[in-house]
Amino acid sequence: MAKRQKGASTAAKVSTKSESRHHDSGIQAPKGKLGVMIPGMGAVATTFVAGVEAIRKGLAKPIGSLTQMGTIRLGKRTDGRSPKIKEFMSLARLDDLVFTGWDIFEDDMYSAAAKAGVLERDLLDKIKPLLAAVVPRKAVFDHNYIKRIDGPNVKKGKNKMDLAEQVREDIRDFKETSGASRLITIWCGSTETFLEPTAAHQSVKAFEKAMTQNDESIAPSMIYAYASLMEGVPFANGAPNLTVDIPVMHELARRNEAPICGKDFKTGQTLIKTILAPGFKARMLGLAGWFSTNILGNRDGEVLDDPGSFKPKEESKLSVLEHILQPELYPDLYTGFTHKVRINYYPPRGDNKEGWDNIDIFGWLGYPMQIKVDFLCRDSILAAPIVLDLVLFLDLAQRSSELRGIGIQEWLSFYFKSPMTAPGLYPEHDLFIQLMKLKNTLRHLKGEELITHLGLEYYD
């Protein structure tokens, strides 16, 4: 009898291993170089690239990056299996990353990083060869969509379709000259003026016709997205622009098996909201009001000083609390709370953003309480590891037979203020649920048991 039990146990182990191998076979190995293409070579992009090179040279650690420092629990707590994510999943290595970008200014990445003022010159000098070698390609830019900045390094074309073809040529050129086997595009450019979806965004045919007609509803970021997806290149959107959150891009992403995700990197103040608000709801504490103001002096702050560019950012920030707190389910706690968001351009601050929050909550018997948060953060320092993780995870998604054809990668909501979802599905904003969704997706891809945190089996 004992032998039969042992045999059954062994069979179970073999079954589990074969299941894991079966799932693994659906993920192609990350062979060769991974090319990273960045529209917008400002503070975020240069901090990201400089950081990757500093880490590769052993000058720094990848703090803030889930792919590099995070672990993932496998099986029961008593199993003691918690490998690093980068060892569990077949992610591209940092040594395999190569870079290019587009920008309206002609500065190479070393000069751009020095002007951004995020990183010390001493560190930049140690990694200067790589940064100086990344010279921006001419950008697709239209002053009507970003009013507070302008620059000379801009493409010319007879219409927006012509500009898209020029970007596609850039993509093909970079792939050939860099020797990259795979590519990712990640938007690190400025926030464009607010746009609503129109008929031009509903299908590939309508979108292409609209581009030939220079339709005003097609912003520069959409041209980069179209060009990338037409070339089969995944696209991540780090700004609150519509960009890939329109039917035409969903269609292209599925058709060409080029995953997409966005919108708007979740860095400072909104990160704090997605940490605190789930705690209030978990403890059934009410919210009367949440006032948020930001002081920011970098190029992003200058762009957002324009009301048109501020509106999509405001909508991105405002939507978070409604989705987390669900006032329709908890009317006594969250109906009618006041939520104000302000962004103030203050040049002396540079990239060192200050996010100040006043939160009016109420508890037992309706008694009022207050919380004050003053987050003195560094915008690009928080964004850079997000860029790295999205590059590596989007590449993984495209190499996964299960993920590459579905278009929107909702499991990457963890990184965004306004996560993209399938049409008609509300986004999940709770940071901790987002993290569980991300890690369970990784477990699923590898044939591992999903973690529910039920834990009753420990007490049988």
Side-chain angles (χ1 to χ4, degrees):
M1 186 71 175
K3 287 184 179 180
R4 286 169 61 189
Q5 285 179 334
K6 183 178 179 181
S9 174
T10 303
K13 287 180 181 178
V14 169
S15 173
T16 302
K17 285 182 178 178
S18 65
E19 181 186 1
S20 182
R21 280 199 301 270
H22 170 73
H23 277 257
D24 257 0
S25 66
I27 303 176
Q28 298 169 358
K31 296 177 181 177
K33 295 178 182 177
L34 175 60
V36 184
M37 305 184 296
I38 311 173
M41 284 173 39
V44 170
T46 56
T47 304
F48 156 63
V49 175
V52 169
E53 182 68 353
I55 293 160
R56 293 196 292 207
K57 287 184 172 295
L59 301 173
K61 294 186 182 297
I63 296 169
S65 168
L66 187 66
T67 60
Q68 302 305 299
M69 301 195 83
T71 62
I72 182 166
R73 191 189 111 200
L74 305 176
K76 296 180 179 179
R77 280 178 277 167
T78 50
D79 291 347
R81 291 196 299 149
S82 293
K84 282 192 172 182
I85 289 172
K86 68 177 183 178
E87 295 163 357
F88 175 61
M89 303 303 300
S90 55
L91 300 179
R93 300 178 311 127
L94 297 194
D95 287 341
D96 294 332
L97 300 185
V98 289
F99 307 98
T100 194
W102 297 266
D103 203 276
I104 63 173
F105 300 108
E106 296 172 334
D107 297 326
D108 61 53
M109 274 208 168
Y110 175 78
S111 301
K115 289 181 180 178
V118 179
L119 303 175
E120 290 88 358
R121 183 63 69 100
D122 179 59
L123 176 61
L124 294 178
D125 287 343
K126 292 175 181 175
I127 53 178
K128 183 176 180 178
L130 173 82
L131 295 179
V134 184
V135 178
R137 299 167 187 269
K138 288 188 175 183
V140 176
F141 181 78
D142 188 327
H143 195 61
N144 291 318
Y145 299 88
I146 301 177
K147 298 188 183 301
R148 293 296 167 93
I149 58 172
D150 216 339
N153 200 39
V154 177
K155 292 185 186 298
K156 306 294 183 186
K158 62 183 180 182
N159 54 40
K160 294 180 179 181
M161 178 61 90
D162 184 19
L163 294 174
E165 290 300 328
Q166 292 181 44
V167 175
R168 293 183 69 178
E169 181 56 39
D170 286 345
I171 293 171
R172 291 190 288 264
D173 174 73
F174 174 61
K175 188 170 186 180
E176 181 180 347
T177 57
S178 68
S181 61
R182 308 173 320 283
L183 302 172
I184 300 289
T185 305
I186 186 158
W187 176 271
C188 293
S190 299
T191 300
E192 296 169 329
T193 196
F194 181 75
L195 292 175
E196 296 272 14
T198 69
H201 302 140
Q202 300 307 307
S203 70
V204 175
K205 184 178 180 180
F207 189 82
E208 291 177 338
K209 180 180 179 182
M211 279 201 293
T212 63
Q213 298 172 341
N214 284 326
D215 193 309
E216 291 182 356
S217 66
I218 297 177
S221 65
M222 296 177 187
I223 294 174
Y224 283 104
Y226 169 84
S228 298
L229 297 178
M230 287 294 288
E231 293 295 319
V233 177
F235 191 101
N237 176 23
N241 317 325
L242 274 179
T243 312
V244 287
D245 202 7
I246 46 179
V248 56
M249 303 303 176
H250 301 175
E251 180 183 342
L252 281 176
R254 291 191 299 269
R255 179 201 298 177
N256 296 335
E257 295 189 327
I260 54 176
C261 61
K263 308 173 291 196
D264 207 2
F265 298 143
K266 180 159 58 182
T267 52
Q269 196 169 62
T270 307
L271 174 64
I272 296 299
K273 284 182 178 173
T274 59
I275 292 171
L276 292 179
F280 298 154
K281 188 172 78 169
R283 292 297 296 267
M284 292 289 105
L285 295 172
L287 179 68
W290 199 313
F291 178 81
S292 301
T293 190
N294 297 266
I295 300 170
L296 181 61
N298 61 12
R299 193 192 300 179
D300 194 30
E302 185 177 4
V303 168
L304 293 172
D305 208 31
D306 170 59
S309 290
F310 174 66
K311 186 170 175 57
K313 176 71 74 171
E314 181 183 35
E315 296 224 342
S316 171
K317 285 173 168 284
L318 287 174
S319 65
V320 171
L321 291 182
E322 287 281 345
H323 285 295
I324 291 177
L325 296 175
Q326 299 175 290
E328 70 281 2
L329 297 181
Y330 306 101
D332 292 335
L333 300 177
Y334 306 120
T335 296
F337 64 84
T338 300
H339 188 194
K340 298 283 187 183
V341 176
R342 298 288 182 265
I343 296 178
N344 302 287
Y345 177 49
Y346 183 60
R349 254 333 136 80
D351 197 66
N352 295 331
K353 181 167 71 173
E354 181 169 2
W356 186 85
D357 291 84
N358 173 79
I359 312 162
D360 287 284
I361 63 173
F362 55 91
W364 186 246
L365 307 181
Y367 274 71
M369 296 173 280
Q370 284 191 350
I371 298 172
K372 313 282 190 185
V373 179
D374 191 15
F375 189 15
L376 297 160
C377 61
R378 295 180 175 230
D379 205 43
S380 298
I381 293 296
L382 291 167
I386 290 177
V387 177
L388 174 59
D389 285 357
L390 287 170
V391 164
L392 298 183
F393 279 144
L394 269 185
D395 176 55
L396 173 71
Q398 193 174 41
R399 289 184 286 107
S400 163
S401 60
E402 195 162 357
L403 296 180
R404 62 173 166 255
I406 65 173
I408 297 167
Q409 306 295 309
E410 192 190 340
W411 62 284
L412 297 176
S413 297
F414 179 71
Y415 297 103
F416 296 105
K417 290 188 186 78
S418 299
M420 289 174 60
T421 66
L425 191 65
Y426 74 83
E428 181 55 68
H429 280 282
D430 182 318
L431 185 76
F432 306 100
I433 295 176
Q434 290 174 335
L435 182 60
M436 188 183 300
K437 183 192 295 281
L438 188 155
K439 288 191 174 182
N440 269 338
T441 301
L442 300 181
R443 293 181 184 107
H444 170 75
L445 291 175
K446 296 280 280 187
E448 292 283 345
E449 183 181 355
L450 305 187
I451 303 296
T452 65
H453 300 286
L454 183 63
L456 291 178
E457 71 274 14
Y458 301 114
Y459 300 93
D460 287 346

